[in-house]
Amino acid sequence: MSDKQRHVHTAIVGAGFSGMGMAVGLLEAGRSDFVILERAASVGGTWRDNSYPNCRCDVPSHLYSFSFAPNPDWPETYSPAGEIHAYQRRVAEEKGLIPHIRFGHEVLGADWDDDASLWRIETNHGSWTADFVVGAFGLLAEPVTPDIPGIDTFEGTIMHSARWDHDHDLTGERVAVIGTGASAIQFVPGIQPTVGHMTVFQRTAPWVLPHRNRRITKIERAIYRRFPSVQRLVRNAVYYSRELVAAGMIRNKGVTEGAKKQGLAHISKSITDPELKAKVTPEFAPFCKRILLSDDYYTALDSANVDLNVDGIAEIRANSIVTRTGEEIEVDSIVLGTGFHVTDSPMMERFRNAEGHSITDACDKSRLGAYNGTVIPTFPNLFVIPGPNTGIGHTSLIVMIEAQVGWVLKLVEAMEQRRLASVEVKQAVHDDWCDLMDAKTEPTVWNSGCSSWYLDKDGRNSTLWPGLTTEFRKRLRTVDLTQFETASITTVAAAAD
Ligand code: N01
């Protein structure tokens, strides 16, 4: 495709798992008139960006991969980030996605033109128009820099876990780590042996359970290569066992008690210092925040060169961090494990409807949500994958992504059969959907009183799908055009004349 031809049927924003999944879906449906606008120089999204030491997926690889692209050669049951990124690059090559991708193209803004019934997209390399846009910009793409007084005055190296500075050697340094979430519990043991001293600043003690990772033997791999159905069986076994665990989370009983016992035993076994044991013991129900898996986090904390500080940070100075108790701790580098802008992604500011309102503005007026996790009122022909309430705490996000891709393809096909130029989900449908999300979240463990990135500024769960993924997939098997305001091709053409 020549870049002079700047109109496409579909523009996909982002080449992570969602953008790639959508692109493969389009190609398999015989639709090649699309472009993927990717701001970075490679596919991969979060698995490209998170290259910190020890980064590894906490969902088994047989499930954390596309259903249409099984990989019999996963070396471990839970893959390191580098393996997942290599898999993504291979799939992009093998499925013919590369010619469709414009690397280094950052979407700066996208405006819906109601008269022409298309999206006008501005990138740092010029403009595009598209009949449809798929916002595949990711839930965990925009790192949070915490708003700590003085953080801008720090004179040493400061880096976020998702923007690891591999040119900076932490060996022998005094390092501060801020945050104890899924990323920190991986990179803390990754850097502990080499740093001089590390102070880990913990605001909330997380639940950490043993990791069940193991190497996949050569024989297993040979079997998967020779008999793909065996690998499919393993994938299904992992999938359904995780659905069972989710059933417990949804009812907020059973699994949380079991996890609590395991978590407390893990602390007991891994840590000798009673004061440290008390500091790391969580005070909320397991699974309320994402459960974390690690065999070496607690032992790293218990090492002679590590302190766990729970006093809270008052300010950051040129070469130190001052706690709320007034203690000043000198450090050479700070590593932020402070998470991502999930419910307040800056990308939501960049998509504007016909009235010029961003997704953030529109959601502020009603509630942050998307019907079927994908479509938002007043934003015609825009599909967000993964969208609000499609995040997942117990299984593979790729399951949700594939369900959304399938639904979008069915919707576009239904539009073509009815000769529709645009579809826009009705406000009442959106409101009912948000009511459903609230009602389904109410009895779950995610609503049991902790603060987490699943909750938005209004305290609502607008991130997680509060149910079984089997239910989500079933809902997205069919398309009901009565849920949408529609404009026909002839009406749009007449308006344009
Ligand atoms: O981020 P987080 P993450 N002062 O938001 C603390 C996925 N992931 O990058 O709990 C002090 O979970 C904050 O404290 P608190 C996975 O879905 C997956 O670790 O809010 N502390 C918390 O401890 C995961 O859930 C994998 O009190 C501050 C931490 O920073 C998601 O990414 C690996 C602070 C943020 O934790 C995000 O994980 C890695 C402040 N001002 C990530 N602000 C795997 O598959 C925040 N914190 C294994």
Side-chain angles (χ1 to χ4, degrees):
M1 185 179 14
S2 149
D3 272 1
K4 283 187 187 133
Q5 181 214 323
R6 292 220 175 228
H7 179 81
V8 282
H9 178 267
T10 304
I12 300 172
V13 182
F17 268 117
S18 307
M20 290 173 60
M22 189 70 237
V24 172
L26 286 169
L27 284 176
E28 286 181 355
R31 301 175 186 277
S32 56
D33 184 14
F34 69 89
V35 67
I36 307 181
L37 302 168
E38 167 56 57
R39 66 183 174 184
S42 155
V43 300
T46 195
W47 296 104
R48 174 201 60 225
D49 292 344
N50 283 275
S51 60
Y52 59 76
N54 224 11
C55 183
R56 182 183 292 279
C57 188
D58 57 7
V59 178
S61 311
H62 289 311
L63 186 59
Y64 199 84
S65 40
F66 287 121
S67 62
F68 54 78
N71 174 17
D73 292 316
W74 289 120
E76 295 173 67
T77 46
Y78 295 78
S79 293
E83 283 292 335
I84 299 174
H85 190 208
Y87 165 82
Q88 292 174 307
R89 293 199 306 269
R90 215 163 45 241
V91 171
E93 289 281 353
E94 287 171 6
K95 296 289 177 184
L97 306 189
I98 303 297
H100 293 270
I101 307 178
R102 296 294 174 274
F103 290 111
H105 280 52
E106 177 165 6
V107 170
L108 305 173
D111 290 85
W112 174 250
D113 180 335
D114 217 16
D115 296 332
S117 199
L118 49 74
W119 282 95
R120 298 193 180 280
I121 304 161
E122 281 305 319
T123 78
N124 54 342
H125 290 294
S127 316
W128 295 74
T129 55
D131 300 327
F132 297 90
V133 169
V134 177
F137 37 78
L139 293 174
L140 304 172
E142 305 291 339
V144 167
T145 298
D147 192 13
I148 298 172
I151 193 163
D152 294 338
T153 65
F154 186 66
E155 289 177 359
T157 296
I158 186 160
M159 60 174 128
H160 191 279
S161 54
R163 301 285 182 272
W164 199 268
D165 181 354
H166 291 277
D167 293 332
H168 182 79
D169 186 2
L170 295 170
T171 306
E173 284 197 347
R174 295 163 302 177
V175 176
V177 170
I178 303 181
T180 52
S183 304
I185 63 111
Q186 294 188 326
F187 69 74
V188 162
I191 61 176
Q192 175 271 322
T194 50
V195 299
H197 187 270
M198 175 160 44
T199 308
V200 178
F201 289 90
Q202 171 189 282
R203 196 164 64 177
T204 311
W207 283 103
V208 183
L209 304 189
H211 206 306
R212 307 280 178 214
N213 183 47
R214 65 167 179 85
R215 288 205 72 75
I216 298 178
T217 63
K218 273 187 185 165
I219 295 173
E220 283 172 288
R221 281 185 265 161
I223 291 172
Y224 295 145
R225 264 196 305 276
R226 178 83 179 77
F227 305 105
S229 56
V230 176
Q231 194 178 14
R232 274 199 298 278
L233 260 178
V234 176
R235 181 183 170 97
N236 284 336
V238 174
Y239 174 72
Y240 285 107
S241 62
R242 286 186 168 239
E243 289 291 276
L244 270 180
V245 172
M249 294 187 210
I250 291 160
R251 291 193 204 98
N252 191 9
K253 52 186 179 203
V255 287
T256 54
E257 275 313 304
K260 195 170 180 177
K261 273 195 199 131
Q262 265 192 64
L264 294 176
H266 195 34
I267 293 171
S268 258
K269 264 191 228 150
S270 317
I271 298 179
T272 47
D273 173 6
E275 201 186 318
L276 182 59
K277 276 186 188 175
K279 282 183 188 171
V280 299
T281 302
E283 290 175 353
F284 60 93
F287 295 105
C288 183
K289 286 169 181 279
R290 193 179 174 103
I291 211 101
L292 311 180
L293 305 179
S294 173
D295 290 337
D296 46 12
Y297 174 63
Y298 286 142
T299 41
L301 287 187
D302 206 14
S303 307
N305 65 340
V306 180
D307 286 327
L308 182 70
N309 191 300
V310 295
D311 295 337
I313 300 172
E315 66 168 311
I316 296 179
R317 294 185 184 158
N319 301 296
S320 62
I321 293 185
V322 182
T323 68
R324 293 226 167 93
T325 58
E327 186 188 358
E328 182 166 7
I329 300 164
E330 294 203 347
V331 293
D332 304 305
S333 293
I334 300 176
V335 185
L336 303 173
T338 42
F340 300 88
H341 291 282
V342 181
T343 57
D344 58 347
S345 166
M347 284 307 287
M348 298 202 304
E349 298 286 345
R350 297 189 188 181
F351 289 82
R352 288 172 294 263
N353 60 18
E355 287 79 45
H357 297 139
S358 68
I359 298 179
T360 315
D361 296 340
C363 289
D364 274 353
K365 282 195 195 127
S366 51
R367 279 170 285 178
L368 177 53
Y371 170 63
N372 277 356
T374 313
V375 285
I376 301 168
T378 76
F379 289 83
N381 293 12
L382 171 68
F383 310 118
V384 186
I385 308 179
N389 292 111
T390 61
I392 215 75
H394 69 281
T395 189
S396 171
L397 186 63
I398 299 168
V399 169
M400 302 296 277
I401 291 169
E402 289 191 10
Q404 287 186 270
V405 166
W407 188 69
V408 168
L409 291 170
K410 282 192 200 95
L411 183 53
V412 171
E413 198 184 321
M415 287 174 69
E416 281 176 357
Q417 281 166 4
R418 294 272 303 274
R419 294 191 45 75
L420 298 178
S422 70
V423 287
E424 177 192 332
V425 69
K426 292 175 181 168
Q427 185 66 48
V429 173
H430 170 89
D431 294 346
D432 286 351
W433 178 263
C434 289
D435 287 347
L436 178 71
M437 294 302 101
D438 291 349
K440 282 173 81 65
T441 299
E442 214 275 321
T444 68
V445 70
W446 304 299
N447 191 37
S448 62
C450 69
S451 78
S452 78
W453 59 265
Y454 302 152
L455 308 179
D456 60 26
K457 62 180 172 39
D458 301 321
R460 285 185 63 242
N461 162 34
S462 50
T463 305
L464 280 190
W465 167 248
L468 298 180
T469 65
T470 41
E471 184 197 339
F472 185 78
R473 292 165 73 192
K474 192 169 166 213
R475 281 178 179 274
L476 270 69
R477 254 180 232 144
T478 49
V479 163
D480 176 2
L481 282 174
T482 64
Q483 312 284 49
F484 297 87
E485 308 286 358
T486 59
S488 74
I489 289 172
T490 39
T491 318
V492 171
D497 284 345

